[in-house]
Amino acid sequence: MTRLETLKSNLWAQFGEDVALTEALNELTLEINPDQWVDACTTLRDQAALDFATCIDLCAVDYSTWGQPAFGWPTPEFPKRYAVVLHLISVTHNWRLRVRTWVSNDDFPVVASLVDVWPSVNWFEREAFDLYGVVFEGHPDLRRILTDYGFIGHPFRKDFPLSGHVEMRYDTEQKRVIYQPVTIEPREITPRIVREEGYGIER
């Protein structure tokens, strides 16, 4: 039995039908209901047969335009707009796992914080909140981490305008940074397609 097969067997033995488990490109993805998020992750950490003591990454994903125009969201494969994804490592067993949960409310995405399970997710959750607007309930210090405190919106959402909502500049008369509406015209940037044979080759 391979290491991947052993991990899959251990996950089925621990969680049974309560979770969805998929395999692609020699990687396993475990899908957990948001109401079981903290308990399932605690089990992944504490059970000796799994022993995922290290969380190396947490991120959010916005699936709202996934696969368009071939098919639109939502789909059976992607039922909600937002998901939170973990990447875990077990040093003891030398295996990895991707864990995903679908956030229930698309208008106000909320999921429980995992800071008490893996303290290393503290800044990861702040990043997901800042960029996607996912609220991590129970987080000890949930505030922006990459954008300015006065920033409006969440820039990694698919419906966030390329030019943003406001711009900031230093005002020499007021001697401070001020915010104002965006002054550039919104436009769609279409990359140039070069079809000339030998383009860019010096002759």
Side-chain angles (χ1 to χ4, degrees), residues 13-88:
Q14 181 62 50
F15 295 106
E17 300 300 320
D18 293 336
V19 297
L21 188 60
T22 56
E23 179 182 348
L25 304 174
N26 292 320
E27 294 180 338
L28 292 177
T29 300
L30 183 72
E31 289 196 0
I32 298 171
N33 289 329
D35 57 346
Q36 300 173 319
W37 187 232
V38 175
D39 290 341
C41 287
T42 303
T43 299
L44 288 168
R45 181 195 65 186
D46 293 344
Q47 281 296 323
L50 301 171
D51 197 20
F52 287 103
T54 306
C55 176
I56 60 169
D57 190 28
L58 178 146
C59 66
V61 183
D62 180 356
Y63 285 96
S64 59
T65 57
W66 183 268
Q68 290 184 351
F71 61 88
W73 158 88
T75 68
E77 189 179 2
F78 306 112
K80 295 289 183 181
R81 177 174 179 178
Y82 299 105
V84 173
V85 181
L86 297 171
H87 292 272
L88 307 178

Side-chain angles (χ1 to χ4, degrees), residues 184-201:
I184 60 173
E185 288 292 323
R187 61 190 176 96
E188 188 171 329
I189 300 172
T190 305
R192 180 177 178 220
I193 299 172
V194 178
R195 300 195 184 277
E196 300 94 330
E197 187 175 340
Y199 177 83
I201 299 175

